[in-house]
Amino acid sequence: MDSDVLVVDDSAAIRKILTRVLRQTGMAIQTIHEAGDGQEALAVMAQHRVDLVLSDINMPKMDGLQLLASLKASPQWKNIPVVMITTEGGETKVAEAVKLGAAGYVRKPFTADQIKEKLVGILEPAVTL
Amino acid sequence: MNLHNTIAQSLIRSTGEVFSTMLGCELSGAEVTVEGTAAGSASGPNDGVVSFIGIAGSWAGTGSLSCSPAVACRVCTAMLMTEATSVDEDVLDAVAELTNMIIGSVKTDLENELGPLGLSIPTVVFGRNFKTRSAATAEWIHVRFLWDGDPLLIKMCLAPSEKPHAVHHGGNPTCQVEV
């Protein structure tokens, strides 16, 4: 079954770029939802099935690490993989994200190949007939 | 290497990397100057787009990107792969994110020397004949690039915080910039 992905970033530009990159990865993706911060992300997840979350860290209202902690504390969502995509490249932030249960980490600026590399093993490749 | 040199080299590296990776283009120039020591020194007048990001921690300051409306539209077009002909929400968002990536990368470099730092959410200003004024006393390191002949200015000021405080992410900048 194709996966549904949630892209969380306060920048509409980054959401558009990630949406385009995700469509180019060759992974089996059905729907790409968007949210501008952690609170919006939780609202989207309450309404829709989500199989993977790609999230920025530095966002207003609820940042990416708070979102990650909320998801991992939820019996309903704790098994959904969360990949952090952020300018926060410091070792402290990486360690914090890993400790909270992030499935991966991509530093901005990113290439399409870097995103695809992180998704291998998380999403299924698209079936071509 | 002193801090000014470290910041200048990091600005050059990160700006080049972000333009190359996200926009698929190369910059030239990279002329470095150090400007403004008096508190409240004003820049300008400016025309175009200016984006600011606050830096907070045991050192505090501001990172900024300035460019013409035409360059801002080129940034958006290259980043989103959709033609931008006038400065709209997409253009301002693209410039803000570009600044976020450049200054965020510099911040990561500087944390090796200065300890943990935090970034604010970017603020973008678009207009004509406006001035910006910083309350900070630190000197600004300016790096002037050329993008196919069009100027692009990246600058940063950073100084030890008088009252060191916890680093917050997504909070307000501690270096006030009046526009």
Side-chain angles (χ1 to χ4, degrees):
Chain A
M1 185 167 64
D2 289 356
S3 299
D4 291 348
V5 179
L6 172 60
V7 174
V8 191
D9 199 304
D10 56 324
S11 165
I14 291 296
R15 296 200 302 269
K16 286 179 186 175
I17 292 168
L18 282 172
T19 298
R20 187 182 70 230
V21 166
L22 284 168
R23 293 293 182 200
Q24 294 170 344
T25 57
M27 296 296 180
I29 296 171
Q30 181 173 321
T31 305
I32 300 173
H33 301 287
E34 294 186 20
D37 58 59
Q39 285 181 6
E40 274 186 29
L42 293 176
V44 169
M45 294 180 73
Q47 299 274 328
H48 302 278
R49 189 197 79 178
V50 170
D51 303 299
L52 168 69
V53 177
L54 302 182
S55 179
D56 187 17
I57 287 183
N58 194 10
M59 296 182 290
K61 296 180 186 173
M62 177 189 276
D63 71 27
L65 293 177
Q66 291 171 315
L67 171 64
L68 177 60
S70 293
L71 296 179
K72 294 304 170 188
S74 159
Q76 183 185 358
W77 294 323
K78 66 181 180 185
N79 293 324
I80 296 174
V82 181
V83 174
M84 312 308 290
I85 299 178
T86 178
T87 54
E88 296 285 355
E91 291 300 317
T92 311
K93 289 291 162 191
V94 175
E96 197 172 345
V98 170
K99 188 178 173 186
L100 286 169
Y105 199 97
V106 179
R107 194 174 70 84
K108 296 177 188 173
F110 53 79
T111 63
D113 286 345
Q114 287 170 331
I115 299 293
K116 184 175 180 179
E117 198 175 284
K118 289 293 172 189
L119 302 187
V120 172
I122 297 176
L123 299 181
E124 296 292 326
V127 177
T128 52
L129 299 174
Chain B
M1 186 182 284
N2 66 33
L3 188 60
H4 281 179
N5 284 338
T6 302
I7 291 173
Q9 292 309 311
S10 183
L11 286 170
I12 292 168
R13 179 203 56 74
S14 66
T15 307
E17 182 185 353
V18 170
F19 268 74
S20 171
T21 307
M22 300 304 293
L23 278 62
C25 53
E26 303 298 323
L27 298 173
S28 58
E31 175 198 346
V32 178
T33 56
V34 179
E35 299 183 15
T37 55
S41 60
S43 75
N46 297 287
D47 287 323
V49 178
V50 181
S51 177
F52 300 99
I53 294 186
I55 302 163
S58 56
W59 288 65
T62 304
S64 171
L65 180 155
S66 308
C67 65
S68 68
V71 169
C73 289
R74 282 186 66 195
V75 165
C76 183
T77 299
M79 197 181 236
L80 301 185
M81 294 184 180
T82 54
E83 187 74 18
T85 55
S86 62
V87 177
D88 58 14
E89 287 295 316
D90 281 349
V91 172
L92 296 178
D93 189 61
V95 171
E97 189 53 38
L98 194 75
T99 311
N100 186 40
M101 283 188 267
I102 293 168
I103 302 303
S105 181
V106 172
K107 186 210 80 151
T108 300
D109 285 349
L110 294 177
E111 283 179 324
N112 296 326
E113 289 189 29
L114 306 180
L117 300 169
L119 288 181
S120 74
I121 303 296
T123 297
V124 192
V125 179
F126 167 51
R128 297 187 66 179
N129 198 29
F130 62 89
K131 291 185 178 181
T132 59
R133 176 183 179 278
S134 174
T137 55
E139 293 176 316
W140 286 82
I141 294 99
H142 291 217
V143 185
R144 290 180 174 79
F145 295 94
L146 289 174
W147 184 13
D148 296 337
D150 291 324
L152 178 90
L153 172 64
I154 310 289
K155 61 182 184 177
M156 179 181 278
C157 73
L158 200 62
S161 296
E162 290 180 8
K163 295 176 183 173
H165 49 276
V167 173
H168 296 285
H169 297 276
N172 294 319
T174 58
C175 180
Q176 296 177 347
V177 178
E178 299 173 12
V179 178

